[in-house]
Amino acid sequence: MHTEIKGAPAFAHLAVVLAPGERVIAESGAMSSMDAELALKARMNGNPFSALMRKWLGGETFFLSAFSNPGSDNQRLVLARTTPGDIREVSLSDECLYLQAGAFLACTDSIKIGLKWAGFTSFLAREGLFKIAVSGTGRVWYGAYGALLEKDVDGEMIVDSGHLVAYGPGIKLKLRLAGGLFSSFFGGEGLVMRVVGKGRITLQTRSLGGLAGWLNPKLRG
């Protein structure tokens, strides 16, 4: 399987070339275009209960799309997210990666996609009560609105609410004020997230909540 991320960072999309017999799993509705010879099959992520939890609690779709190449020649597929922004690829080797709701785009067939409790800290930080857990050995593609920045944490780092996209099991999330009580709320930052532990995190430079907050007063006017 050959893949290439194009159009980054503003309008990234994933170009996939599937060799005969290869298959890739994608979020439902992610297909932008594909060769007519490719086979598409919708499937649930696990049993009906886990698929329903993934949809309502994890911000993902009920079904996943499995694209396979049953022919004898290479076939092409283009996958894209519904919002503009960047896409990242990560290779897992019997590892686990946590993603914010809506960040998952696609993975190889060997990856397991699950749902885990994120905690009230994550909820108050506008990251949701649940997080998507992708695990196993294979490749995963994910994305978010805005550009994506990777940071190595060894100790702690302060991250604004709604900007954390991906992190590993070695990272814990805590909530705190950005500064003093007066500065935090009158300075516009309020509560921020304290990322504690050791590992790599991925941040998005923009947030949909920030965009909505900027647009709403203009639309009402």
Side-chain angles (χ1 to χ4, degrees), residues 47 51 59 98 111 114 188 217:
N47 57 51
Y98 298 133
I111 293 294

Side-chain angles (χ1 to χ4, degrees), residues 1-5 14-16 24-25 79 81 87-90 99 103-108 138-143:
M1 183 188 305
H2 174 75
T3 62
E4 184 178 358
I5 297 173
L14 180 65
V16 183
V24 66
I25 309 301
L79 300 173
R81 291 173 36 79
I87 294 172
R88 280 287 188 277
E89 174 186 331
V90 60
L99 302 175
F104 173 77
L105 176 64
C107 66
T108 52
R139 299 155 71 190
V140 178
W141 294 271
Y142 64 89

